[in-house]
């Protein structure tokens, strides 16, 4: 007994759809979820203070102006890889929000929950303080 041609096309269409959904969940979903978390932080987060001039100077290469709002983030850290035309990009998240660690602060990451003060940017938040370690104390530790 042979399947009708229309049934073969339906099965092929369903297979293509399932493969497409699988590709989305493997490659795109983690990034879109982290971007939604960043938007939620900007819109609904409570500003705890403004960025100090000394912190802004330390972050001048990342373009965080003095006086920018600083938010508190708490949660687990994770890392995932996005593969694209330009190669693979490593994305680090804290409580689901994509973050950038200034030099020295990545050593302050704990295995469980982490508490940070962050300044939201376009593609991610920049960490200013992580688990009690500040930009100033991490730069002193690097120098001495």
């Amino acid at each position: 007994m042979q399947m009708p041609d229309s049934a073969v096309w339906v099965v092929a269409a369903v297979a293509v759809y399932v493969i497409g959904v699988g590709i989305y969940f493997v490659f795109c979903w983690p990034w879109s979820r982290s971007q939604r978390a960043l938007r939620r932080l900007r819109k609904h987060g409570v500003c705890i203070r403004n960025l100090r001039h000394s912190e802004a100077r330390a972050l001048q290469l990342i373009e965080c102006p003095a006086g920018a709002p600083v938010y508190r983030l708490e949660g687990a850290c994770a890392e995932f890889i996005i593969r694209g035309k330009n190669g693979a990009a490593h994305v680090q998240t804290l409580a689901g929000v994509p973050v950038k660690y200034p030099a020295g602060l990545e050593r302050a990451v704990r295995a469980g929950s982490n508490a940070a003060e962050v300044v939201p940017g376009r593609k991610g938040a920049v960490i200013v303080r992580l688990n009690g370690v500040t930009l100033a104390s991490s730069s002193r530790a690097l120098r001495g």
Side-chain angles (χ1 to χ4, degrees), residues 77-142:
C77 291
E79 183 176 355
F80 59 92
I81 300 171
I82 299 174
R83 299 187 197 291
K85 295 176 193 174
N86 300 331
H90 292 265
V91 177
Q92 297 170 323
T93 62
L94 174 63
V97 175
V99 293
K100 295 177 185 173
Y101 295 97
L105 285 183
E106 65 273 349
R107 288 185 275 153
V109 175
R110 294 182 187 146
S113 184
N114 293 275
E117 293 179 5
V118 299
V119 177
R122 264 184 309 136
K123 293 183 179 180
V126 179
I127 296 178
V128 178
R129 176 187 295 256
L130 180 62
N131 298 324
V133 178
T134 63
L135 286 172
S137 64
S138 69
S139 63
R140 277 194 300 270
L142 290 175

Side-chain angles (χ1 to χ4, degrees), residues 9-66:
W9 285 108
V10 168
V11 169
V14 168
V16 168
Y17 175 78
V18 168
I19 290 171
V21 169
I23 289 171
Y24 172 79
F25 277 105
V26 169
F27 296 109
C28 300
W29 187 64
W31 178 247
S32 65
R33 187 178 67 187
S34 65
Q35 288 301 304
R36 282 192 305 272
L38 179 61
R39 265 193 311 276
R40 216 175 15 258
L41 175 68
R42 273 196 212 109
K43 288 183 179 182
H44 305 292
V46 177
C47 177
I48 58 171
R49 64 179 178 90
N50 291 327
L51 190 65
R52 296 181 188 101
H53 288 286
S54 60
E55 293 169 331
R57 272 196 310 275
L59 296 173
Q60 66 187 354
L61 296 177
I62 306 175
E63 299 177 15
C64 290

